[in-house]
Amino acid sequence: MTMPIKRNALVGEVGERGVLRAIASYLSEGGGRVLVGVGDDAAVTAATPGTAMQTVLTTDMLVEGTHFLRNDATDWKSLGRKAMASNVSDVAAMSGNPRFALVSLGLPADLTVGCLLELYAGLAHEARLWGAELVGGDTTMSPVMVINIALTGELAEGRPVPLRSRCRPGQNVYLTGDVGRSRAGLELLTDPAAASLRGEPWTETLLERHLCPQPRVKGGSALGAALDDLAMIDISDSVLNELQLLANASAVKLVISPGRLPVTLEIRRYCALRGYDVATFAMSSGEEYELMFATSAPQEKVDAILKQANADAGATLIGEVQAGPAMLTWLDSEGAEMHVKNETFAHFSGKNKA
Amino acid sequence: MTMPIKRNALVGEVGERGVLRAIASYLSEGGGRVLVGVGDDAAVTAATPGTAMQTVLTTDMLVEGTHFLRNDATDWKSLGRKAMASNVSDVAAMSGNPRFALVSLGLPADLTVGCLLELYAGLAHEARLWGAELVGGDTTMSPVMVINIALTGELAEGRPVPLRSRCRPGQNVYLTGDVGRSRAGLELLTDPAAASLRGEPWTETLLERHLCPQPRVKGGSALGAALDDLAMIDISDSVLNELQLLANASAVKLVISPGRLPVTLEIRRYCALRGYDVATFAMSSGEEYELMFATSAPQEKVDAILKQANADAGATLIGEVQAGPAMLTWLDSEGAEMHVKNETFAHFSGKNKA
């Protein structure tokens, strides 16, 4: 008989074997398409029955100090959810359906088992929400905490992949859901000037979006299945940055109406109270995990596809694709085009997503 | 026009965008089965033509200080090769063929671009050797260097997976290649008492094995295809540890003849000079990446399978499987069984390989 592992035990006390015992319940032991789960040299999953599938592959590394802080206030479950959501969103941006996740953890000796379990609860919960399973991983000791997720997804064979480079002149540009809430939520947590708003009920949606963004899996998959001229990207850094990536990858001019960016009433209220321009604020908010896409399909068709798929959010027309060279302009309220300079939004993204 | 990135530039100077430019040539841009390589939200790979495939999934995290040191003596190319080889070996132990790798790197600001390029050269070289491609990854800043690899492999559908739990009484236990060299190589590099041997030509093979182990991909794949009663594991920690894992997973007694452990003449010579017992030394050597397997097939059949597959190494019969309970015993030179106590080789492995 083995003793249960106490939640207040430290990782350094229970050792890596203890860690594995503690988190075992979150990892697949096999079943369904997982032929081999935890406990062997590697996981093995069955081929998709029926249609041949293309495989989507993505990975993300989060490092303590760079991406999150480790202290008494750390919300480990939310961190787990968000770490998984960012990978799920990458799969959604390729119009894939998430399937199998590998989680590697670098663990400091003074982390408690309880924190680790909360993190895993978040990882597993978010994975399950979008149809993915934790099939394995690796744990190791590390002076700083590191969380790496690798996630696979599936996409029916023959379906065109909605590459960033597939924007074509004449297409419309759409954005799912709404943007801005994640940045507002971050400010509520970190900006002393925003702290006084934190208790107000209407700001809960801002915090929630920042802590638990909702990747648009159903929408991405449905759009990919229905549209054969789709270019798509997810909003991980900011609308501005992702627009630039689309424009550059496709060598097109994107003409965007900032006034059309979908924002909630709470964001209008928040920006009014803080003295921000709503469009500028929404444009620069990161970690939204909405999908931005270009297609020749009109609004009604896009609406119908998303409704049919029971997607979690609709999409708003925010601009159009014109012939290149690669450039981003936005329309002011009088309909005049303003060129957005590259330097304005040069952004050092760590992704060689891939 | 963009400036080439100098090898002596620091990661902190060139930023993550510079890092991506520097390593881009090692990452697939697409082609063949890689439908989408570097540069989008995720990589996409085509389904295997012909047969449906089971997917093998494994991951490994290496952390500076825990798994490797970062200093002027660090051999970055070898580190890259070995990091990839350990994942390749996990796929081989499931009898799979390695296919697609995602590499996440946590990078300290004071690392030079040259070191990073050497590391990538090693990763890419080793991947290519075994039929795998680098299809994507993630890079981020980190106070300590972290290397995470996630690797997929393939295994034809319907082929039984050689689980650790598939040892059955009456089977033979085999070990590919030879063991002991990796530990000897490590000692040559780190043990002052062994340093004087380092220049001697006969010790080169010991260093080479430690720095660049050869995962047994062809052998593992061929054995998996030909034998329907196979249990298999790779030697990452030590022969002793992996024997115990097999015995426990299968609830069987393994009776091993230490005198039969395959060792090279160089290991006999090294042990004689250092005053080590050869079998004990070989038994406890880690990071060998040989395969250990149990099957009812006799030696001649195993030899024929490996020869037919043009495998890089043969296999040696080292013992047999008897009815449980889970236990490990070895035969001394008089044929008497000695029980190996669990505590003798309790080993804290970080893998929840899965």
Side-chain angles (χ1 to χ4, degrees):
Chain A
M1 202 190 115
T2 39
M3 298 280 288
I5 293 169
K6 294 203 175 70
R7 291 179 69 90
N8 62 357
L10 301 181
V11 164
E13 291 166 354
V14 303
E16 290 173 9
R17 190 172 283 190
V19 164
L20 295 192
R21 273 177 50 212
I23 63 178
S25 67
Y26 292 109
L27 292 162
S28 171
E29 291 184 333
R33 287 185 53 198
V34 182
L35 303 176
V36 181
V38 70
D40 219 295
D41 293 280
V44 182
T45 63
T48 327
T51 332
M53 288 283 172
Q54 303 174 92
T55 303
V56 182
L57 296 165
T58 189
T59 192
D60 255 325
M61 180 178 279
L62 303 181
V63 180
E64 176 187 338
T66 305
H67 301 93
F68 62 94
L69 298 176
R70 184 163 65 91
N71 55 41
D72 290 347
T74 306
D75 178 345
W76 292 99
K77 188 167 181 189
S78 291
L79 179 61
R81 289 194 62 176
K82 192 164 177 171
M84 186 59 70
S86 79
N87 283 277
V88 166
S89 183
D90 281 324
V91 171
M94 304 309 267
S95 81
N97 285 295
R99 284 293 175 261
F100 305 109
L102 298 169
V103 178
S104 300
L105 296 178
L107 299 173
D110 64 344
L111 184 78
T112 66
V113 169
C115 294
L116 186 63
L117 290 174
E118 285 295 306
L119 176 77
Y120 252 89
L123 289 167
H125 176 81
E126 191 72 19
R128 207 177 310 116
L129 270 183
W130 311 111
E133 283 185 83
L134 308 187
V135 295
D138 190 15
T139 60
T140 185
M141 293 297 170
S142 172
V144 292
M145 190 160 171
V146 184
I147 305 167
N148 193 88
I149 299 176
L151 179 67
T152 73
E154 287 179 329
L155 188 61
E157 200 172 55
R159 214 203 252 187
V161 182
L163 300 178
R164 297 175 180 180
S165 57
R166 299 186 76 227
C167 297
R168 295 290 173 267
Q171 287 178 324
N172 297 315
V173 180
Y174 298 90
L175 186 56
T176 62
D178 64 278
V179 287
R181 284 189 291 149
S182 178
R183 178 172 160 191
L186 176 65
E187 289 185 0
L188 288 173
L189 291 174
T190 59
D191 183 348
S196 65
L197 298 173
R198 225 186 124 171
E200 303 197 18
W202 65 271
T203 63
E204 270 170 32
T205 175
L206 309 179
L207 282 174
E208 191 188 322
R209 170 65 162 249
H210 180 69
L211 295 173
C212 291
Q214 301 275 301
R216 303 304 185 189
V217 176
K218 280 191 216 166
S221 175
L223 292 164
L227 300 172
D228 59 9
D229 75 333
L230 190 67
M232 193 152 64
I233 192 168
D234 73 319
I235 310 297
S236 48
D237 291 323
S238 69
V239 175
L240 207 50
N241 185 64
E242 320 309 0
L243 279 168
Q244 185 63 23
L245 291 175
L246 283 180
N248 287 344
S250 297
V252 293
K253 177 176 169 184
L254 297 178
V255 182
I256 304 298
S257 299
R260 291 194 187 173
L261 284 178
V263 292
T264 62
L265 288 176
E266 289 84 2
I267 283 299
R268 294 196 186 282
R269 185 165 174 186
Y270 180 82
C271 287
L273 286 168
R274 303 289 318 270
Y276 293 141
D277 174 65
V278 172
T280 307
F281 185 83
M283 188 74 91
S284 60
S285 177
E287 300 187 318
E288 296 284 351
Y289 301 114
E290 297 292 355
L291 296 176
M292 187 156 63
F293 57 97
T295 172
S296 59
Q299 178 83 60
E300 311 80 61
K301 183 167 181 186
V302 167
D303 290 347
I305 292 166
L306 294 176
K307 194 177 171 194
Q308 165 85 20
N310 205 12
D312 306 299
T316 304
L317 181 64
I318 62 168
E320 64 177 46
V321 184
Q322 295 182 3
M327 188 188 301
L328 178 55
T329 68
W330 54 40
L331 291 179
D332 68 16
S333 50
E334 271 82 51
E337 283 191 20
M338 301 195 315
H339 176 52
V340 185
K341 284 211 187 72
N342 253 353
E343 307 87 72
T344 317
F345 50 90
H347 182 102
F348 276 44
S349 164
K351 290 296 181 64
N352 53 333
K353 287 332 217 17
Chain B
M1 201 192 117
T2 39
M3 297 282 287
I5 294 170
K6 293 203 174 73
R7 292 180 68 90
N8 62 357
L10 301 182
V11 163
E13 292 167 353
V14 302
E16 290 174 7
R17 189 171 283 190
V19 164
L20 295 191
R21 273 177 50 211
I23 64 178
S25 67
Y26 292 109
L27 292 162
S28 172
E29 290 184 334
R33 288 186 52 199
V34 182
L35 303 176
V36 182
V38 71
D40 219 295
D41 294 280
V44 182
T45 63
T48 327
T51 332
M53 287 284 174
Q54 303 173 94
T55 303
V56 182
L57 297 165
T58 189
T59 191
D60 256 324
M61 181 178 278
L62 302 181
V63 180
E64 176 186 339
T66 305
H67 301 94
F68 62 93
L69 298 175
R70 184 162 66 91
N71 55 43
D72 289 347
T74 307
D75 178 344
W76 292 100
K77 187 166 181 190
S78 292
L79 179 62
R81 290 193 61 176
K82 193 164 176 173
M84 187 58 70
S86 79
N87 283 277
V88 166
S89 184
D90 281 323
V91 170
M94 304 309 267
S95 80
N97 285 295
R99 284 295 176 257
F100 305 110
L102 299 169
V103 177
S104 300
L105 295 178
L107 299 173
D110 63 343
L111 185 78
T112 67
V113 168
C115 294
L116 186 64
L117 289 175
E118 286 294 308
L119 176 77
Y120 252 90
L123 289 167
H125 176 81
E126 190 72 19
R128 206 177 312 116
L129 270 183
W130 311 111
E133 282 185 84
L134 307 187
V135 295
D138 190 15
T139 60
T140 184
M141 293 296 170
S142 172
V144 292
M145 190 161 172
V146 185
I147 305 168
N148 193 88
I149 299 177
L151 180 66
T152 73
E154 286 178 330
L155 188 61
E157 200 173 53
R159 212 202 253 190
V161 183
L163 300 178
R164 296 175 180 180
S165 57
R166 298 186 78 227
C167 297
R168 294 291 174 267
Q171 287 177 326
N172 297 315
V173 180
Y174 297 91
L175 186 57
T176 62
D178 65 277
V179 287
R181 283 189 291 149
S182 179
R183 178 170 162 192
L186 176 64
E187 289 186 359
L188 288 173
L189 291 173
T190 59
D191 183 348
S196 66
L197 297 173
R198 225 185 125 172
E200 302 197 18
W202 64 273
T203 64
E204 269 171 33
T205 174
L206 310 179
L207 282 174
E208 190 188 322
R209 170 67 162 246
H210 180 69
L211 295 174
C212 291
Q214 300 276 300
R216 302 305 184 187
V217 175
K218 279 190 215 166
S221 176
L223 292 164
L227 300 173
D228 57 10
D229 75 334
L230 190 67
M232 194 152 64
I233 192 168
D234 73 318
I235 310 296
S236 48
D237 291 323
S238 68
V239 175
L240 208 50
N241 185 64
E242 320 308 0
L243 280 169
Q244 184 63 24
L245 291 175
L246 282 180
N248 287 342
S250 297
V252 294
K253 177 175 168 183
L254 296 178
V255 182
I256 304 299
S257 300
R260 290 193 187 173
L261 284 178
V263 293
T264 61
L265 287 176
E266 289 83 3
I267 283 300
R268 294 194 186 282
R269 184 167 175 185
Y270 181 80
C271 287
L273 286 168
R274 301 290 318 270
Y276 293 140
D277 174 66
V278 172
T280 308
F281 185 82
M283 188 75 90
S284 59
S285 176
E287 300 187 316
E288 295 284 352
Y289 301 114
E290 297 292 355
L291 296 176
M292 188 155 62
F293 56 98
T295 172
S296 59
Q299 178 82 60
E300 310 80 63
K301 184 167 179 187
V302 167
D303 290 347
I305 292 166
L306 295 175
K307 193 176 172 194
Q308 166 84 21
N310 205 12
D312 305 300
T316 304
L317 181 63
I318 62 167
E320 64 177 43
V321 184
Q322 295 183 3
M327 187 189 300
L328 178 54
T329 69
W330 53 43
L331 291 178
D332 68 16
S333 51
E334 271 81 51
E337 283 190 21
M338 301 193 319
H339 176 52
V340 185
K341 284 211 188 71
N342 253 352
E343 307 86 73
T344 316
F345 50 90
H347 183 102
F348 276 43
S349 164
K351 292 294 180 69
N352 54 336
K353 285 333 216 20

